[in-house]
Amino acid sequence: MGKKEENEKFYLVREDVLPEAMKKTLDAKELIERKKADSVWEAVQKVDLSRSAFYKYRDTVFPFHTVVKERIITLFFHLEDRSGTLSELLAVVAGCGGNVLTIHQTIPLQGRANVTLSLNVTGMKTGLDELLMRLKKLEFVDTVEVLGSGA
């Protein structure tokens, strides 16, 4: 992980000071979430926003109520590069009731790959400690770290 990701800061900002593109991105996301638009293209057309601006801001701007309501954690893994490892890892997460929001995997180098998962743990059946213990027990997992938590 780079220093940029480790040092990310988050701010609570009043809507009236947000750039117009961010406000429209929030509006487009709401249209999609409420099924008032069938696609990103339709949503951005309705709010008069470019697709590139939508994609620039979609993963960085959220309504306050969604951040408070959802418990999100980000986990970092250093894994052995074997067929099926990511699938097994995700099966453990799903088995505990975690909902995967994002996955980022690097290209394996020297038989190892880095994977970062962002999870919504709101509906988890087991505690975070139990999930981490199960993940660490997987034979192909070298490292598991919690990078960030809203939990």
Side-chain angles (χ1 to χ4, degrees):
M1 291 289 95
K3 282 200 181 250
K4 181 181 178 216
E5 289 179 18
E6 291 174 9
N7 295 325
E8 282 185 336
K9 293 181 182 180
F10 295 88
Y11 300 92
L12 182 62
V13 180
R14 251 188 9 247
E15 180 183 30
D16 63 320
V17 298
L18 285 177
E20 200 62 32
M22 286 184 174
K23 291 181 201 175
K24 289 181 177 185
T25 298
L26 288 166
D27 292 341
K29 286 171 63 169
E30 184 174 358
L31 288 173
I32 294 166
E33 182 180 315
R34 293 179 179 231
K35 308 241 187 277
K36 304 249 183 217
D38 294 326
S39 65
V40 169
W41 175 250
E42 185 180 340
V44 297
Q45 292 286 52
K46 286 183 176 185
V47 299
D48 190 32
L49 179 70
S50 70
R51 285 179 64 229
S52 63
F54 175 83
Y55 286 113
K56 177 179 180 180
Y57 294 120
R58 76 170 177 181
D59 294 328
T60 61
V61 61
F62 305 95
F64 182 69
H65 68 88
T66 61
V67 176
V68 171
K69 180 172 65 174
E70 296 177 353
R71 295 175 45 208
I72 298 171
I73 63 166
T74 302
L75 300 177
F76 169 81
F77 299 88
H78 192 66
L79 307 176
E80 201 175 307
D81 181 32
R82 287 195 233 162
S83 179
T85 56
L86 186 57
S87 177
E88 256 187 85
L89 187 101
L90 295 175
V92 170
V93 170
C96 290
N99 180 29
V100 177
L101 302 173
T102 64
I103 301 172
H104 179 264
Q105 181 175 351
T106 61
I107 294 172
L109 296 173
Q110 300 177 346
R112 300 281 185 265
N114 295 328
V115 175
T116 305
L117 294 180
S118 292
L119 309 173
N120 180 338
V121 295
T122 305
M124 270 191 19
K125 303 170 215 162
T126 59
L128 182 56
D129 290 336
E130 174 71 17
L131 171 64
L132 292 172
M133 185 189 71
R134 290 181 188 183
L135 292 168
K136 287 176 183 178
K137 283 185 178 178
L138 297 170
E139 65 181 54
F140 53 83
V141 173
D142 292 338
T143 306
V144 180
E145 295 176 26
V146 178
L147 291 184
S149 173

